[in-house]
Amino acid sequence: ALPHRRTSRAIFVDMAALNKIVKDKGASAPDAFEMEVAQALFDLESNSTDLKAELKELYIVSAKEVDVAGRKAVVLFVPYRLLKLTHKIQSRLVRELEKKFSGKHVVVIAQRRIQRQEAKSGRTLAQKRPVSRTLTAVHDAILEDLVHPTEIVGKHTRYRTDGSKLLKIYLDPKEASNVEYKLDTFGSVYKKLTGKEASFEFPVVA
């Protein structure tokens, strides 16, 4: 192991753990927290028999901490092409990482890029952007990632008197016992990533 010093928060990282975080070309080097996450993933891969095969293929592109009502949540960003693999083990992976991070809530988001709409100026029209790259599509996908494997069963936009909007997300009530403790985390992370306010709740079943 070697010391990895990016801030005053120094940690020791196995060289092999560096393979668990692969930054985009041109991105800044991993910070101390990202290296801590990479080390946690490497430790899980080394010590877990039931997750080993999938974790061998899995890596993150970034990680960050988000404030949630006086505590921290951990957000992991994985390459979009590895999202299906992540979903296969996500419940177990999140459970193990939450133990490693002293009970901090952990969520996993696929890295997606928003492609701005090109102005239709000049003689040649720009290539039409894929629907999956629009702002709305990416924000909707973040919602799905946040709550996975829980299903979203409804959405409603509430308009406040001051003109602001609140997106109300209704989750499958069958999953209430599994995710109820994370509802505030979902809202805080979504606001951090999109700038939009959202509340997560379960529909009242008559």
Side-chain angles (χ1 to χ4, degrees), residues 45-156:
E45 180 188 327
S46 302
N47 301 320
S48 173
T49 52
D50 59 334
L51 297 176
K52 195 177 191 73
E54 288 84 1
L55 281 176
K56 190 173 183 181
E57 306 297 323
L58 185 65
Y59 62 86
I60 61 171
V61 292
S62 66
K64 64 174 62 177
E65 288 183 297
V66 173
D67 288 314
V68 182
R71 48 194 171 76
K72 299 281 189 183
V74 178
V75 185
L76 309 185
F77 295 89
V78 300
Y80 178 75
R81 66 180 184 82
L82 294 181
L83 185 61
K84 191 176 287 188
L85 171 70
T86 307
H87 282 172
K88 281 177 62 179
I89 60 169
Q90 186 161 326
S91 294
R92 287 172 293 160
L93 175 63
V94 165
R95 190 162 57 243
E96 292 301 322
L97 287 175
E98 288 182 343
K99 290 178 194 171
K100 281 185 169 290
F101 287 99
S102 306
K104 291 177 183 175
H105 295 171
V106 174
V107 295
V108 182
I109 307 287
Q111 186 186 47
R112 297 178 176 86
R113 287 185 176 82
I114 296 168
Q115 186 175 323
R116 295 175 61 184
Q117 190 167 11
E118 296 290 344
K120 296 178 180 178
S121 58
R123 295 181 181 178
T124 308
L125 290 176
Q127 183 180 4
K128 190 175 180 181
R129 64 176 173 168
V131 173
S132 63
R133 294 285 185 88
T134 64
L135 180 76
T136 301
V138 170
H139 286 183
D140 283 348
I142 288 172
L143 284 174
E144 301 282 349
D145 288 355
L146 263 179
V147 303
H148 184 85
T150 304
E151 186 180 350
I152 294 173
V153 296
K155 296 177 188 175
H156 173 71

